[in-house]
Amino acid sequence: MHIKNLKSKIFISAAILAGVMTSGCKMVTEDLDPCPAQLRIRFVYDYNLKWGDAFSHEVTSVNVWAFNPEGALVWSGSAAGAELASGDFYLATPLTEGEYDFVAWCGLEGNADFDLATYTPASKEDLEVTMRTVEENGENVSKSDLPGLYHAYVSGVDYEVDPYNPTVKTVTMSLMKDTKDIRVMLQHLDGSEIENRDFSVTITDNNAEYAWNNALLPTSPMVTYQPWNIKYGQTTAPGEEDTRTLYDMATTRVQTTVASLLFELSTGRLMADSKARLVVHRNWDDRDIIDIPLVDYFLLVKGHYGDITDQEYLDRQDDYSIVFFIDKHSNWYVAGGIFVNSWAVVPPQDSEL
């Protein structure tokens, strides 16, 4: 009986000892490896008007740089392709304990419309991005369907390792999209056709160069954005014509045809204090029929998107549309109002028009 008890106690003690030896870094001895530790980066693109994370659907590449408190580069990393669309993408870093600032430019891989000054910066200030343009008739012109360009900056990340437990720290970088898609539509109220050669549309702005912190740098001359696509179309809408008489109180159903010309443009980041102008030019007599401060008009509908600042609205919104009505003389029919992002608004009285 005593021998059995002794054997049982020996077996239990051995099991406990084995558990202790295989418990990993819970006990620190000279024979055990240090606890695993990792600093990783997570990217989100939720700075939009849908208030949801669209990173896995929109962003196709990431580049990120880490700097120490002295401002020197200590690490850089990148990724692209299908792994970003997985929904659980993290970028692992080899960084050890310390304090770091992170700068990210995303969407650069395979992007022929933007150039990064260097991928091996000596400091954050070297991470400038420039939009590619061409010179035409003395103008700085962009007529590209610009791919998405995204930026993020996180400062003062303090990374400490717990020697007694596994340490995984996640840095979340919230991206801001700089590029904007803008559609300008002209509609003939009388249904007559609008020829592509009749009108041209341009946007001018000073937003082709970006500092490391996403601030705009002066561009000289300003950029003239031209459409990358032009579409002609006709829309047929049902209506009613009043044909009532003393003996017949019925109305007649009619079809109203509206001819339209759609210009699709892409621009860089829009700023609340921007002097950007949208010009619609009537080609046959070389006359501007519309010349407006673009950002002021876009901001007319900001109130429909919550209590946010002008700049936050412009940065969250990446898809704009504006519709002008053209009368039978091919002039802007101002009395008809305009539509901005499908919202009907009354144009402001612009003394510069």
Side-chain angles (χ1 to χ4, degrees):
M1 188 70 174
H2 294 291
I3 294 176
K4 288 183 178 180
N5 288 340
L6 180 61
K7 288 183 177 180
S8 176
K9 290 179 181 180
I10 293 173
F11 177 81
I12 294 173
S13 299
I16 294 173
L17 179 60
V20 170
M21 294 180 65
T22 59
S23 63
C25 61
K26 290 293 183 180
M27 295 187 63
V28 179
T29 70
E30 293 182 357
D31 298 325
L32 292 178
D33 293 333
C35 291
Q38 183 184 77
L39 178 63
R40 63 183 187 175
I41 301 174
R42 173 176 176 256
F43 299 88
V44 298
Y45 171 45
D46 56 5
Y47 201 73
N48 52 58
L49 287 177
K50 295 178 181 178
W51 311 94
D53 183 12
F55 174 82
S56 61
H57 301 287
E58 293 198 25
V59 183
T60 57
S61 69
V62 297
N63 288 88
V64 61
W65 297 263
F67 300 87
N68 64 21
E70 290 71 41
L73 177 70
V74 292
W75 171 81
S76 66
S78 64
E83 62 178 322
L84 273 64
S86 65
D88 58 354
F89 170 73
Y90 295 88
L91 185 63
T93 82
L95 295 171
T96 57
E97 281 193 323
E99 183 178 333
Y100 303 101
D101 296 341
F102 294 92
V103 178
W105 283 110
C106 302
L108 289 173
E109 182 164 318
N111 190 334
D113 291 290
F114 290 95
D115 290 318
L116 182 67
T118 177
Y119 283 86
T120 55
S123 66
K124 293 190 289 284
E125 287 71 21
D126 292 338
L127 291 174
E128 296 181 359
V129 170
T130 302
M131 181 190 304
R132 291 187 183 182
T133 58
V134 296
E135 184 178 348
E136 291 185 1
N137 301 319
E139 293 184 334
N140 200 19
V141 174
S142 171
K143 55 180 73 175
S144 294
D145 180 9
L146 297 173
L149 177 69
Y150 305 82
H151 174 270
Y153 174 59
V154 177
S155 63
V157 174
D158 190 15
Y159 177 43
E160 295 182 352
V161 174
D162 184 350
Y164 301 102
N165 290 289
T167 303
V168 177
K169 183 178 181 66
T170 301
V171 178
T172 299
M173 302 197 75
S174 180
L175 302 176
M176 177 186 294
K177 187 176 183 180
D178 287 335
T179 44
K180 311 296 177 181
D181 294 321
I182 300 175
R183 291 177 299 278
V184 180
M185 178 176 285
L186 307 181
Q187 286 193 346
H188 250 175
L189 293 177
D190 64 358
S192 60
E193 291 188 3
I194 309 179
E195 296 289 344
N196 288 13
R197 64 176 180 269
D198 290 347
F199 299 97
S200 57
V201 171
T202 57
I203 295 171
T204 55
D205 202 356
N206 196 341
N207 58 350
E209 298 187 38
Y210 301 81
W212 66 272
N213 59 357
N214 210 28
L216 292 182
L217 300 171
T219 305
S220 182
M222 297 177 68
V223 182
T224 299
Y225 295 97
Q226 297 180 1
W228 56 266
N229 189 36
I230 303 174
K231 296 178 182 177
Y232 170 79
Q234 287 186 331
T235 302
T236 302
E240 291 185 351
E241 182 180 358
D242 190 355
T243 58
R244 290 175 294 179
T245 67
L246 181 62
Y247 304 102
D248 184 4
M249 299 304 293
T251 57
T252 302
R253 301 291 293 177
V254 297
Q255 297 290 326
T256 301
T257 300
V258 178
S260 63
L261 199 59
L262 177 66
F263 300 85
E264 296 183 279
L265 307 91
S266 295
T267 75
R269 187 182 182 193
L270 297 175
M271 305 299 293
D273 60 354
S274 167
K275 304 301 181 184
R277 297 200 73 84
L278 168 66
V279 174
V280 178
H281 188 76
R282 195 169 61 203
N283 294 328
W284 73 75
D285 61 352
D286 195 27
R287 180 170 176 261
D288 295 339
I289 65 167
I290 300 173
D291 184 352
I292 62 171
L294 183 63
V295 168
D296 291 351
Y297 275 62
F298 283 161
L299 290 174
L300 290 175
V301 300
K302 184 197 72 171
H304 295 289
Y305 297 91
D307 185 17
I308 56 179
T309 67
D310 290 352
Q311 190 57 55
E312 182 176 351
Y313 171 73
L314 294 170
D315 286 331
R316 284 184 177 272
Q317 180 67 275
D318 69 332
D319 193 3
Y320 297 89
S321 64
I322 186 166
V323 179
F324 300 96
F325 299 105
I326 305 300
D327 64 21
K328 62 182 179 180
H329 303 294
S330 293
N331 291 315
W332 179 18
Y333 182 62
V334 182
I338 60 174
F339 283 84
V340 178
N341 283 15
S342 299
W343 297 100
V345 298
V346 177
Q349 298 300 310
D350 189 345
S351 60
E352 299 181 51
L353 294 179

